[in-house]
Amino acid sequence: MNDQNGTDTGNHETSPRAGMPPVAPPQPSRPPTSSLPILPPAVTVTDNTDVTDVTDDKPAPKAGEPRQTLFKVGFVVAGLVLLGLLTWWLATLIASGNEQAANQPPAPAVSESTSPSAQPTRGELPQDGVSALDYQLGDCFENFDPEATESRVVACTTGHSAQLVAVYRFPESDSYPGIAALREKGREICQDAGLTDAVANYVLMQRNAYPSDTSWEQGDRRVDCYVTADKGNIIMESLIP
């Protein structure tokens, strides 16, 4: 209803004027936010409250970790180099030792003719039936027979007729040298035997004993030099130092 002055005094709906286009509503002052992501509410940190970072579970690298990693790698590399050098040194040392052993000349034959204080170590004397292959340098023999295979060994301070004053042993690997070479070796060791001045007290001879080809095959490699009296058991002392 309109009053007389045409003033709108009631609440009523209005419609567009006849013949006028509809008027569009005014544009909002800022764009709507219905399509934007909704941010989570801010977290307020209070005492005894654990806050978990939901964006990244990886811990932040500590300062100095790259330097420590490089140091460890360098230490491992240095250890490998040192181990390689040690292995090379050991291999070189072993090869050198083998070469020296290969180039070393074979051990010479054993000669007992120059042994100092060549007294026998048999134990209690006299001893009967001692084999010729068991004679020891310095042994003194009663009633000595150079052709016998065994003898009676007595103390050199008692009467005896012979003494073993020099021994030479050929190497086990040697082949049988023959009678002439064995005789020559016997003369050589007798000449080199060091005798005491007591030899001037007796009439003495030198005798040799050496292996036959048969005894050589059985392992006999020794050449012996004896000093013997011309007769009887007249020698009363040792004739070697």
Side-chain angles (χ1 to χ4, degrees):
M1 169 177 279
N2 294 331
D3 58 10
Q4 293 180 354
N5 295 326
T7 302
D8 190 359
T9 59
N11 294 325
H12 58 279
E13 294 183 359
T14 58
S15 60
R17 293 179 183 270
M20 295 186 65
V23 179
Q27 294 292 330
S29 60
R30 55 185 177 179
T33 59
S34 60
S35 62
L36 297 178
I38 301 175
L39 298 176
V43 178
T44 301
V45 180
T46 60
D47 293 339
N48 302 326
T49 302
D50 294 333
V51 180
T52 303
D53 187 355
V54 296
T55 60
D56 191 359
D57 293 335
K58 297 180 179 180
K62 297 181 180 180
E65 281 191 354
R67 181 178 300 175
Q68 293 179 0
T69 303
L70 290 176
F71 176 76
K72 292 178 180 178
V73 172
F75 182 78
V76 171
V77 171
L80 293 176
V81 171
L82 182 60
L83 180 61
L85 290 175
L86 180 60
T87 303
W88 171 83
W89 179 76
L90 288 175
T92 303
L93 185 63
I94 293 173
S96 177
N98 292 337
E99 183 178 357
Q100 291 180 359
N103 295 332
Q104 187 175 5
V110 177
S111 176
E112 301 177 6
S113 59
T114 57
S115 299
S117 185
Q119 298 298 321
T121 56
R122 298 194 165 277
E124 186 176 356
L125 296 174
Q127 292 184 10
D128 291 319
V130 178
S131 170
L133 293 179
D134 294 331
Y135 294 166
Q136 298 178 10
L137 179 64
D139 275 347
C140 294
F141 307 96
E142 185 180 282
N143 299 321
F144 181 69
D145 180 0
E147 303 297 331
T149 58
E150 59 183 33
S151 296
R152 174 180 171 90
V153 180
V154 297
C156 292
T157 54
T158 63
H160 56 279
S161 62
Q163 184 176 9
L164 179 59
V165 296
V167 177
Y168 178 88
R169 287 183 173 85
F170 282 89
E172 293 292 334
S173 58
D174 281 11
S175 57
Y176 187 66
I179 296 297
L182 291 172
R183 284 177 177 171
E184 182 61 29
K185 177 58 70 175
R187 294 190 188 100
E188 177 185 328
I189 64 173
C190 280
Q191 290 175 359
D192 294 339
L195 303 179
T196 67
D197 294 337
V199 296
N201 301 329
Y202 310 96
V203 178
L204 303 172
M205 296 178 293
Q206 291 181 341
R207 292 180 178 271
N208 296 124
Y210 41 81
S212 65
D213 55 352
T214 301
S215 62
W216 185 280
E217 293 298 326
Q218 295 173 354
D220 182 9
R221 296 291 190 274
R222 57 185 285 172
V223 178
D224 297 334
C225 175
Y226 301 92
V227 173
T228 64
D230 60 339
K231 60 181 179 180
N233 298 307
I234 62 172
I235 307 173
M236 304 298 294
E237 55 201 316
S238 175
L239 301 178
I240 58 176

